[in-house]
Amino acid sequence: QLSQRAAMAFRHQRGPLLFPLLPVAFLSASYAFVGVISQFRSRTVPRSAASAETAKATFGQLFNGDSRPIVLYDGDCNMCNSAVDVALQKDPDGRKLRFSALQSEVGRELLVFCGREAKDLSSMLVVKPDGSCLAQSDAVVFVGQQLDGSRVLQGLSKVAESVLPKPLRDGAYKVIAKNRYNVLGRRKELRLGQDGMDDRFVQKDSKSAPAV
């Protein structure tokens, strides 16, 4: 009789007892589903359009005789292109930096060279002649420090790098990057270069300028 009462009590209480486990079960099922999808995509979608060998060859070609770092920017983003305009103005002789859109052929290959997916638009990058790649706030402060035409931007970049912890800088960068299309919108056409500045914008067939 006691066992029958216990069984009845369990049946009466099992709904409330199992309810807290429902979110766990749902999450477990979701993770399993995502895992299956990821495995399927890994079989059917190539990791990147450019191979590591091609990316390495492109890097070597671009820095053969030209030591200027290459800034990879989002060519669809108006805010990003405005920042490129400022950098061009404050480096009027083009001695410090070159530029290429992340979406360009060169941009995709350099993304792969830096160990990222060819379609990764999550961050601007700076590719340096020694093969190192800077991303997020590190890329921003590096570019700012190269702008000899603006002591203000140079000073602010140096202060930001030395005073603000990297996690804080990167956190602010991610917020801005995530909302960049909401600030100034998108361009109607992808920006791959600018008239009269062929030496500043890197294309696949660009010839390296003399090192300065």
Side-chain angles (χ1 to χ4, degrees), residues 2-66:
L2 289 174
S3 60
Q4 290 179 350
R5 290 180 180 178
M8 292 178 61
F10 174 77
R11 285 195 296 268
H12 178 72
Q13 293 293 332
R14 67 181 176 181
L17 286 171
L18 293 176
F19 180 76
L21 299 178
L22 290 178
V24 177
F26 175 76
L27 287 175
S28 299
S30 299
Y31 291 147
F33 175 75
V34 171
V36 170
I37 294 299
S38 298
Q39 291 177 3
F40 175 76
R41 291 188 62 187
S42 67
R43 297 192 195 103
T44 59
V45 179
R47 178 174 175 79
S48 61
S51 68
E53 292 77 12
T54 301
K56 186 176 180 180
T58 297
F59 170 83
Q61 175 189 352
L62 294 173
F63 286 97
N64 181 21
D66 194 332

Side-chain angles (χ1 to χ4, degrees), residues 92-157:
D93 297 328
R95 293 178 176 272
K96 294 297 184 71
L97 300 169
R98 292 178 287 169
F99 300 87
S100 185
L102 287 162
Q103 297 94 330
S104 68
E105 185 177 1
V106 166
R108 293 193 299 269
E109 291 183 2
L110 289 180
L111 278 165
V112 174
F113 175 82
C114 292
R116 292 171 172 257
E117 293 290 334
K119 295 183 179 181
D120 185 358
L121 303 179
S122 63
S123 174
M124 68 175 286
L125 291 179
V126 173
V127 184
K128 301 173 70 175
D130 63 0
S132 60
C133 303
L134 305 177
Q136 299 183 8
S137 66
D138 286 341
V140 174
V141 296
F142 176 86
V143 171
Q145 291 173 14
Q146 309 310 305
L147 304 181
D148 293 336
S150 176
R151 296 298 177 88
V152 173
L153 289 176
Q154 276 189 331
L156 289 174
S157 298

Side-chain angles (χ1 to χ4, degrees), residues 73-89 99-103 180-181 184-194 201:
Y73 63 93
D74 184 348
D76 281 329
C77 166
N78 279 326
M79 184 176 70
C80 310
N81 280 282
S82 295
V84 170
D85 290 336
V86 172
L88 290 170
Q89 293 169 6
F99 300 87
S100 185
L102 287 162
Q103 297 94 330
R180 64 187 184 276
Y181 297 129
L184 295 177
R186 293 174 177 263
R187 289 173 58 92
K188 293 182 179 179
E189 295 182 359
L190 177 68
R191 182 185 190 180
L192 296 175
Q194 186 164 319
F201 286 86

